[in-house]
Amino acid sequence: MMALVDQLQTPDGAFAIVADADGAVLASGWTDCVPALLERIHPSLRPEGLREEPLAASDAVRAFYEGDLAAAMRVPVRQRGTDLQVRGWRALREIPPGEPLAYAQFAAVLGAPRAVRAAAGICARNAPALFVPCHRVLRGDDSMGGFAWGVDVKRALLARESGA
């Protein structure tokens, strides 16, 4: 499968997107290292080749940074994982901007309130960052926790979404 790649600059640094031929985002993040994104894609969806091309998803990233915090939620994504992971990735897209959840709350949303580690794992294995906003999940003490693209980026995204 051939995939499309686009890269742009954001206030939080370089941002790269890998999408399938239909424009569904497979992986994205604050990096200029496309191979790092490819490794985050489920092996069954990992492309064999890449072609640079402007993407509608890039327009959504720009719109997000211009204040349309829901723009990325209108972009299709494609991920593969366990049933719980897939439910989790869908649930992440339902968390409103500016209203982050603790991992325990996120686990409860998934119907598995004691599966806090699994909830954290869902966030850690999320490939299309921003389009599936795993940055909206925090530790129980409201500290940032981890983020594949750095805690500073996570903090900046949350501040932008809260209007700070």
Side-chain angles (χ1 to χ4, degrees), residues 125-140:
R125 288 176 185 83
N126 177 46
L130 187 63
F131 301 96
V132 176
C134 58
H135 65 274
R136 294 181 186 157
V137 184
L138 306 172
R139 287 186 176 153

Side-chain angles (χ1 to χ4, degrees), residues 35-48:
L37 288 179
L38 294 175
E39 289 187 19
R40 297 184 61 82
I41 299 171
H42 190 278
S44 69
L45 295 174
R46 200 168 292 149
E48 295 172 9

Side-chain angles (χ1 to χ4, degrees), residues 14-52:
F15 191 86
I17 304 167
V18 178
D20 66 15
D22 295 330
V25 176
L26 301 171
S28 56
W30 288 265
T31 183
D32 57 5
C33 182
V34 173
L37 288 179
L38 294 175
E39 289 187 19
R40 297 184 61 82
I41 299 171
H42 190 278
S44 69
L45 295 174
R46 200 168 292 149
E48 295 172 9
L50 300 172
R51 183 176 75 231
E52 287 195 34

Side-chain angles (χ1 to χ4, degrees), residues 21-148:
D22 295 330
V25 176
L26 301 171
S28 56
W30 288 265
T31 183
D32 57 5
C33 182
V34 173
L37 288 179
L38 294 175
E39 289 187 19
R40 297 184 61 82
I41 299 171
H42 190 278
S44 69
L45 295 174
R46 200 168 292 149
E48 295 172 9
L50 300 172
R51 183 176 75 231
E52 287 195 34
E53 185 173 305
L55 296 169
S58 298
D59 293 336
V61 173
R62 288 184 196 92
F64 171 85
Y65 279 101
E66 291 169 1
D68 182 356
L69 301 179
M73 299 309 99
R74 295 188 290 270
V75 174
V77 297
R78 184 157 292 118
Q79 293 178 275
R80 287 227 174 98
T82 66
D83 288 342
L84 183 64
Q85 287 171 330
V86 171
R87 275 197 346 260
W89 294 325
R90 283 189 196 126
L92 286 168
R93 293 188 80 161
E94 300 297 321
I95 301 172
E99 298 180 27
L101 298 177
Y103 287 108
Q105 292 171 301
F106 181 50
V109 165
L110 298 176
R114 292 163 33 135
V116 176
R117 283 185 184 220
I122 288 167
C123 293
R125 288 176 185 83
N126 177 46
L130 187 63
F131 301 96
V132 176
C134 58
H135 65 274
R136 294 181 186 157
V137 184
L138 306 172
R139 287 186 176 153
D141 63 1
D142 286 337
S143 65
M144 291 292 118
F147 187 56

